Amino acid sequence: MIAAVLFLVFAVLLFIGAPIAVCLGASSVIAMLMQGAGRPLDTVMSSLPMIVSSSTSKFVLLAIPFFIFAGNIMEKAGISGKLIALAESCVGHIRGGLAMVCVIVSCFFAAISGSGPATVAALGVIVVPAMIKSGYTPAFSAALMAAAGAIGVIIPPSITFVVYGSIADASIGQLFLSGLVPGLIMGAALLIVALIIGRKMNLKANSKASGAERWKAFKDAFWGLLMPVIILGGIYGGIFTPTEAAAVSVIYGLFVGIFIYKQIHIKEFYQILIDTASTTATVMFITAAASLFAYVLTRARLDVAISSGLESMTGGSVIVFFIIVNIILLIAGCFLDSTSALYIFTPLFVPVAQALGVDLIHLGVVMIVNLAIGLFTPPVGVNLYVACGGGNVNLKQISKAVISLILAAIIVLLIVTYIPKISLLFI
């Protein structure tokens, strides 16, 4: 009965367009009230503040606001434009070179922002119009930017990996390392699709940059390129933890933005603080609501029932288990954001994975790649909505153009899923 109420209220709220945090939180509270019917209200709801507090006060989650802060700093510092200029000087003279710029710069910026939508927002306003000018259609240009931006949640440092690691009690450092190769493969797959489609179009190529121009572009972008090296090098060198690395990235970003690029002043810094606080509040609101949802599942013993059901369905087969995981997450990714999906499904999948002997790092990569695809899958793919503005296209147009990119990403997902060594190569 409680399960029916929980999922029915959640579905109704989602259908009417309520924010996902409200869907999760409201359905959980109503289910708790139903479960505690007949008891005093303060007794029934006394656990709510403790659940919310414990879910949002984990030390590892401090990395989220710091990485968001660092990403906003580097965006305001103009690093996105410098990275684009560097990539364009290297490959802009090739037919379809601007598609290559889109994907390559997305991979670099992903290692700075750690967020898919942030990558699209920072790069889309520059890259998408340039791709349209070179001959790509507006719809495909925006679609490629949306898909390339999703690499931001796979390539380290990734906010989504921090969330998964906090739920599954997995090493954040190992998760970061495990996302590198799958992220690069995803970028290569998108690039191949873009070049194949580009061969059918009358594309224009820029004039080839001279060695001096490339060197100048490299010098301009050097300090931005150094940021992921410092973050990841510090983590894997044992100098600091992922959370400490996030704080270091903020200090480094401020130094570069204020003293080297000289793009950040009081006005820009104030806006950076506002944007960081707003994004962090959104993520933490979702985290709190999703934790409450997971708590109700646990109290109703639904997590055990679902996990047991999954284990029996797999029949002890890892292949079948991952087929189920991929189908569930690909569908869920169409409607849920990454944080919500992780809080709902991670507690269900982890016990089954452990029973089958699946490495939790590998499971995390598979889940994150699934949810990355969800970022550019209609109807709720966040990246699609962000990219629509850059290409001046509507959701219907971009949804048609993104189909080939989704298919390429699913092929990458299957490779990552069934060849664990790709994820565990450096671990």
Side-chain angles (χ1 to χ4, degrees):
M1 178 62 181
I2 299 302
V5 171
L6 180 69
F7 289 112
L8 179 62
V9 174
F10 176 81
V12 170
L13 290 173
L14 190 66
F15 179 76
I16 64 176
I20 189 64
V22 174
C23 297
L24 292 166
S27 60
S28 302
V29 170
I30 292 172
M32 290 173 70
L33 291 173
M34 289 284 293
Q35 197 172 33
R39 291 189 293 163
L41 182 62
D42 58 344
T43 303
V44 175
M45 304 305 293
S46 61
S47 59
L48 193 150
M50 290 186 291
I51 298 165
V52 170
S53 175
S54 63
S55 66
T56 55
S57 58
K58 297 177 182 178
F59 176 74
V60 69
L61 292 181
L62 274 175
I64 293 176
F66 280 125
F67 278 132
I68 292 172
F69 196 6
N72 286 334
I73 289 169
M74 297 307 279
E75 180 184 345
K76 296 293 184 191
I79 185 61
S80 56
K82 297 180 189 301
L83 289 174
I84 290 169
L86 174 60
E88 196 169 352
S89 70
C90 294
V91 298
H93 61 283
I94 302 171
R95 281 175 61 87
L98 281 169
M100 298 176 69
V101 170
C102 177
V103 176
I104 292 169
V105 177
S106 292
C107 290
F108 274 113
F109 199 80
I112 296 174
S113 71
S115 166
T119 301
V120 178
L123 304 178
V125 292
I126 305 173
V127 174
V128 173
M131 285 184 63
I132 295 171
K133 188 176 179 181
S134 74
Y136 281 101
T137 65
F140 182 78
S141 301
L144 181 63
M145 187 69 255
I151 298 172
V153 303
I154 306 174
I155 287 185
S158 164
I159 294 170
T160 316
F161 273 133
V162 174
V163 174
Y164 172 82
S166 71
I167 301 169
D169 195 25
S171 167
I172 305 296
Q174 289 186 348
L175 285 167
F176 281 177
L177 201 56
S178 67
L180 183 59
V181 176
L184 294 176
I185 294 175
M186 177 79 82
L190 298 178
L191 191 54
I192 290 170
V193 173
L195 292 177
I196 291 173
I197 290 177
R199 292 188 65 178
K200 302 175 183 178
M201 302 176 182
N202 184 26
L203 298 180
K204 301 174 184 176
N206 295 337
S207 56
K208 188 173 183 178
S210 65
E213 289 172 329
R214 291 179 180 179
W215 175 244
K216 182 180 183 303
F218 174 76
K219 287 194 297 181
D220 287 344
F222 173 77
W223 294 99
L225 295 173
L226 194 60
M227 188 174 186
V229 175
I230 292 174
I231 295 171
L232 301 177
I235 293 172
Y236 304 132
I239 301 172
F240 33 67
T241 67
T243 302
E244 292 166 345
V248 169
S249 69
V250 171
I251 302 301
Y252 176 80
L254 285 174
F255 174 78
V256 171
I258 295 172
F259 298 107
I260 297 178
Y261 291 148
K262 298 179 181 179
Q263 295 291 317
I264 297 178
H265 306 288
I266 294 297
K267 184 178 178 181
E268 287 78 12
F269 185 68
Y270 176 75
Q271 189 59 50
I272 288 170
L273 291 175
I274 295 295
D275 293 343
T276 301
S278 175
T279 306
T280 301
T282 300
V283 173
M284 289 305 175
F285 186 21
I286 293 172
T287 297
S291 299
L292 197 59
F293 192 89
Y295 168 80
V296 174
L297 287 177
T298 304
R299 280 294 301 273
R301 304 291 292 172
L302 285 171
D303 60 331
V304 176
I306 295 172
S307 293
S308 299
L310 282 174
E311 194 168 346
S312 63
M313 287 172 63
T314 63
S317 170
V318 173
I319 293 176
V320 175
F321 169 67
F322 275 122
I323 289 173
I324 295 171
V325 168
N326 286 337
I327 290 174
I328 290 174
L329 290 179
L330 285 173
I331 295 172
C334 296
F335 303 98
L336 297 174
D337 66 279
S338 301
T339 302
S340 303
L342 286 172
Y343 269 95
I344 293 170
F345 295 108
T346 303
L348 304 179
F349 294 153
V350 164
V352 183
Q354 290 175 322
L356 296 174
V358 174
D359 192 298
L360 293 186
I361 301 297
H362 179 221
L363 174 64
V365 175
V366 172
M367 293 184 69
I368 299 307
V369 172
N370 267 291
L371 297 174
I373 295 172
L375 287 174
F376 58 97
T377 303
V380 191
V382 179
N383 284 13
L384 295 179
Y385 291 94
V386 179
C388 279
N392 195 25
V393 295
N394 57 40
L395 185 62
K396 182 178 179 181
Q397 291 170 320
I398 198 173
S399 295
K400 289 181 179 178
V402 83
I403 292 173
S404 58
L405 300 170
I406 292 174
L407 293 175
I410 290 175
I411 292 172
V412 173
L413 170 63
L414 293 175
I415 294 171
V416 171
T417 299
Y418 293 110
I419 308 178
K421 286 185 179 180
I422 291 176
S423 304
L424 306 177
L425 183 63
F426 299 118
I427 297 176

